[in-house]
Amino acid sequence: MVCRHCGTEIADKALICFRCGTAATEPRVTPPRGGRSPASRGPVALALVVLVVSALVMGQVVTGQVPREVGYALAVLALVAIGWHLARRRR
């Protein structure tokens, strides 16, 4: 077989050309797209912010300065954002 890129004679069962490194055959599967779009980082960033705020609020809940429900509401909001991100990622 002859390399389609550089013209070197290579073995019939070769996967790549030993001289130039070009694939000898077309790939059977295509690799996944590289990188994530900036839009996919939004829910994660929101969840992290909400988790930090809820941790701060939970610290105040212990002292009795903030109602307990506020801390729980923030924790639920963070879990919803994480769940939404994971659901979008599976599509």
Side-chain angles (χ1 to χ4, degrees), residues 11-56:
D12 289 337
K13 294 183 179 180
L15 298 176
I16 61 170
C17 174
F18 66 88
R19 177 166 287 174
C20 67
T22 302
T25 61
E26 293 297 321
R28 293 182 194 160
V29 295
T30 57
R33 277 189 355 208
R36 292 184 178 174
S37 66
S40 68
R41 295 185 189 116
V44 174
L46 175 65
L48 288 174
V49 169
V50 171
L51 281 173
V52 168
V53 170
S54 64
L56 294 172

Side-chain angles (χ1 to χ4, degrees), residues 5 8 23 30-31 46-47 52 56 60-61 66 76 81-82 86 89:
H5 185 263
T8 303
T30 57
L46 175 65
V52 168
L56 294 172
Q60 298 296 319
V61 167
V66 176
V76 167
I82 291 170
L86 291 175
R89 197 169 159 193

